[in-house]
Amino acid sequence: GAIERMRLLDEKCAEVGRDPKTINRSIWPMPHPFESVDNVKQVIASYREAGFNDFVFTWPPDEYEDVMRQFARDVLPELRAST
């Protein structure tokens, strides 16, 4: 999976002498994590722990749109400030 590929990337960076932290690591978590704000935070935290620092989300179905908006309004600014 994605986490194993991040470990492989780290190994390859070490082989060529590149700092792996200089690489932007993006992921598109599927399916969308907007069941709750806490779920989105948990998904992001687990991928951050694996080394990802850029997240792309699809627009969720209508019934999850309020959670997405709440996350964007209340949590996203804090996450951006912590990077």
Side-chain angles (χ1 to χ4, degrees):
I3 294 172
E4 291 81 19
R5 289 191 302 271
M6 289 299 99
R7 289 188 185 123
L8 179 60
L9 178 59
D10 288 345
E11 291 172 16
K12 297 300 179 184
C13 285
E15 287 176 16
V16 299
R18 179 167 180 180
D19 181 353
K21 292 179 182 171
T22 64
I23 297 174
N24 190 31
R25 299 172 187 225
S26 299
I27 192 159
W28 188 336
M30 294 297 282
H32 74 82
F34 295 107
E35 288 81 22
S36 70
V37 170
D38 285 337
N39 188 61
V40 182
K41 290 164 82 174
Q42 183 179 25
V43 166
I44 289 174
S46 67
Y47 280 118
R48 274 187 160 179
E49 186 176 310
F52 291 93
N53 59 357
D54 190 36
F55 303 89
V56 179
F57 297 106
T58 59
W59 195 270
D62 292 344
E63 63 267 26
Y64 299 105
E65 192 173 315
D66 287 342
V67 172
M68 182 209 50
R69 290 181 187 280
Q70 180 185 0
F71 170 79
R73 181 186 60 242
D74 299 339
V75 179
L76 190 56
E78 179 182 313
L79 289 175
R80 284 186 175 152
S82 70
T83 57

